[in-house]
Amino acid sequence: MVELSKGASRIYGEAAFEVLAKAQALERQGKSILHFEIGEPDMETPPNVAQAGIKAIQDKKTHYVPSIGLLELRKAVQNEVERTRGFRPDLEQVVIIPGLKPGIFFSMLSIVNPGDEVIYQDPGYPTYGSVTSFLGAESVLVPLLEENEFRMNPDDIKERITEKTKLIIVNSPQNPTGSVITKSELDDIAELAEEYDVFVVSDEIYSKMTYDTTHYSPTARDEAKERTVLLDGFSKYYAMTGWRLGYMVVPQSMAKRLNDFLVSAVSCTAAFTQWAGVEALTGDQSFIPEMMARFKEKRDRIVKGLNSIPGFTCLAPKGAFYAFPNITETKMTSQECADHLLYKAGVAVLPGTAFGPYGEGYLRFSYATTLENIDDAVKRIKESFE
Ligand code: PMP
């Protein structure tokens, strides 16, 4: 049989979707499953934003638009970045994309050569490793340690920088640990990138999802003009995962290349989705603090609940909507424990190892669910170990 490309054999998927499929198979057999596996808010898109999308379709905004995005949305992003990151990018630096993920893919395609080294957090979002491997580059893992509240330590990055290092990927607030890197640590990372002449891609998809702490972007240092790339999007804090909308702020030379990648891969991001995005950024923002107040209540409830389970300990995450309990005292591996929870307790979670080898000994709970489900899951897990 004719073979697929070598790159195709190196790219890989995400465990969340696999666990969801297993959980749904159990549900079809009549089992009751509580879902903590998928990383998306349990809220609906704010009505004003959804309405803007509907109106755009009715107004026939259903045609091709420029590959790098609608001017109106790029201007809204320009203002948004000035408001939230403290610098105003040039319009030429702003690129609209269908979800944040293509931003990871296209920025890495623009930056990384085969044989280059890419430094990123472990446990971390699987896409970074998948794309690194696809590109024939080397993954250099920075372990996130519970003792350091799962924050990436700039000294650990420095130790790993070699002549081959081309890119450092930063993700804060972080998936899967919920950690938030401090401003001074992020400044140190940006400084290292300058010193060693490497790129930084900053995945800030949870930027507005912090608890009692503010988000900071390492791209503020060079205003994304030289070596830093800001990625953010509408999926999480505007509850728009299915709309597929994100943005990038990049050095101008890279924006030109991105334009060509977008032309070649997607033509453009859906026009009506972008009009919804304009409303999201420029309309009423009360949705976000309301959602975060609810998430905080859920976070406190699940952290308390997990800490009450024998064999589990859990730090309070500072951002996103993930809890990452340590389960080493159960004497099970992450995979065994995740399977036990699914088959014995009817609670679907991800093993920490779905996010890399340093996730061993942990589980990821996405607590974007109801307080009732959280209480019920804790009860079921306790019973399953009795
Ligand atoms: N980056 C991180 C860290 C994420 O957790 C996710 C969603 N799970 C994404 C990117 C993907 O975002 P989008 O759906 O906008 O492509």
Side-chain angles (χ1 to χ4, degrees):
M1 217 166 78
V2 59
E3 274 183 28
L4 299 177
S5 74
K6 293 197 171 59
S9 69
R10 292 195 302 260
I11 200 154
Y12 51 83
E14 249 186 80
F17 293 99
E18 287 163 31
V19 174
L20 179 66
K22 273 200 223 173
Q24 287 173 339
L26 289 171
E27 281 173 330
R28 279 194 296 276
Q29 292 166 23
K31 303 242 163 63
S32 148
I33 304 291
L34 299 171
H35 292 274
F36 290 83
E37 73 278 43
I38 280 282
E40 70 173 337
D42 55 334
M43 272 67 109
E44 296 306 322
T45 305
N48 60 314
V49 176
Q51 206 48 51
I54 293 166
K55 182 169 181 305
I57 294 175
Q58 285 165 341
D59 290 349
K60 304 188 172 55
K61 310 283 192 204
T62 52
H63 298 270
Y64 287 134
V65 289
S67 293
I68 54 167
L70 282 178
L71 190 59
E72 289 81 351
L73 182 56
R74 291 171 62 225
K75 282 186 175 165
V77 168
Q78 201 181 16
N79 291 334
E80 165 75 2
V81 171
E82 182 170 16
R83 226 173 10 246
T84 54
R85 273 72 171 197
F87 70 93
R88 186 171 179 81
D90 299 330
L91 204 51
E92 292 73 24
Q93 290 180 266
V94 179
V95 176
I96 305 302
I97 41 178
L100 186 144
K101 246 184 205 175
I104 301 172
F105 203 83
F106 294 134
S107 58
M108 290 181 73
L109 281 176
S110 310
I111 293 169
V112 179
N113 287 307
D116 286 349
E117 291 176 356
V118 180
I119 297 179
Y120 57 88
Q121 290 140 306
D122 186 321
Y125 193 49
T127 302
Y128 315 136
S130 170
V131 180
T132 300
S133 148
F134 170 72
L135 291 170
E138 295 298 322
S139 289
V140 176
L141 308 179
V142 178
L144 297 188
L145 304 178
E146 196 175 347
E147 301 91 275
N148 196 37
E149 294 178 314
F150 300 114
R151 295 197 316 274
M152 180 151 71
N153 181 345
D155 292 337
D156 292 339
I157 298 179
K158 190 170 182 175
E159 270 174 24
R160 286 164 175 76
I161 293 180
T162 72
E163 299 226 303
K164 290 187 179 169
T165 308
K166 190 68 189 290
L167 168 66
I168 302 166
I169 304 176
V170 180
N171 171 219
S172 176
Q174 209 243 1
N175 180 6
T177 66
S179 69
V180 176
I181 310 181
T182 66
K183 177 176 186 299
S184 85
E185 288 164 337
L186 285 166
D187 276 335
D188 287 350
I189 295 170
E191 207 177 307
L192 279 175
E194 217 168 277
E195 189 181 337
Y196 292 94
D197 198 24
V198 300
F199 276 97
V200 173
V201 166
S202 182
D203 178 343
E204 303 180 19
I205 192 80
Y206 302 102
S207 62
K208 291 177 194 273
M209 308 192 91
T210 56
Y211 308 103
D212 310 323
T213 173
T214 38
H215 172 73
Y216 179 73
S217 176
T219 64
R221 190 178 170 93
D222 73 348
E223 304 192 344
K225 287 197 165 56
E226 295 279 328
R227 65 186 65 258
T228 67
V229 170
L230 167 57
L231 304 179
D232 201 349
F234 299 72
S235 296
K236 311 286 173 165
Y237 48 80
Y238 291 116
M240 292 176 75
T241 47
W243 291 77
R244 310 311 302 140
L245 187 62
Y247 65 83
M248 314 175 71
V249 181
V250 302
Q252 277 198 29
S253 57
M254 192 170 155
K256 293 198 182 72
R257 298 271 64 94
L258 286 168
N259 178 60
D260 297 338
F261 276 124
L262 290 165
V263 168
S264 305
V266 295
S267 293
C268 62
T269 303
F272 45 87
T273 289
Q274 295 193 53
W275 283 107
V278 172
E279 174 61 22
L281 289 182
T282 59
D284 179 22
Q285 300 296 306
S286 57
F287 176 81
I288 297 171
E290 280 163 22
M291 172 170 66
M292 289 313 292
R294 282 198 260 167
F295 270 138
K296 190 170 180 190
E297 202 182 353
K298 293 171 189 184
R299 177 198 67 162
D300 292 344
R301 187 75 72 98
I302 196 162
V303 168
K304 189 160 176 254
L306 290 170
N307 278 313
S308 74
I309 300 169
F312 282 50
T313 56
C314 187
L315 292 180
K318 295 218 162 53
F321 41 80
Y322 305 114
F324 202 65
N326 181 325
I327 52 94
T328 45
E329 289 295 306
T330 62
K331 310 289 181 223
M332 291 176 174
T333 65
S334 294
Q335 187 63 58
E336 284 163 359
C337 196
D339 285 342
H340 172 96
L341 263 53
L342 180 61
Y343 293 105
K344 296 272 166 46
V347 177
V349 302
L350 300 187
T353 44
F355 301 91
Y358 290 99
E360 185 52 85
Y362 298 90
L363 298 176
R364 190 194 80 171
F365 285 70
S366 165
Y367 54 83
T369 182
T370 60
L371 288 169
E372 293 70 36
N373 280 348
I374 291 171
D375 291 343
D376 203 11
V378 170
K379 187 162 160 277
R380 286 192 194 187
I381 296 170
K382 278 186 185 160
E383 284 167 5
S384 76
F385 282 111
E386 273 162 11

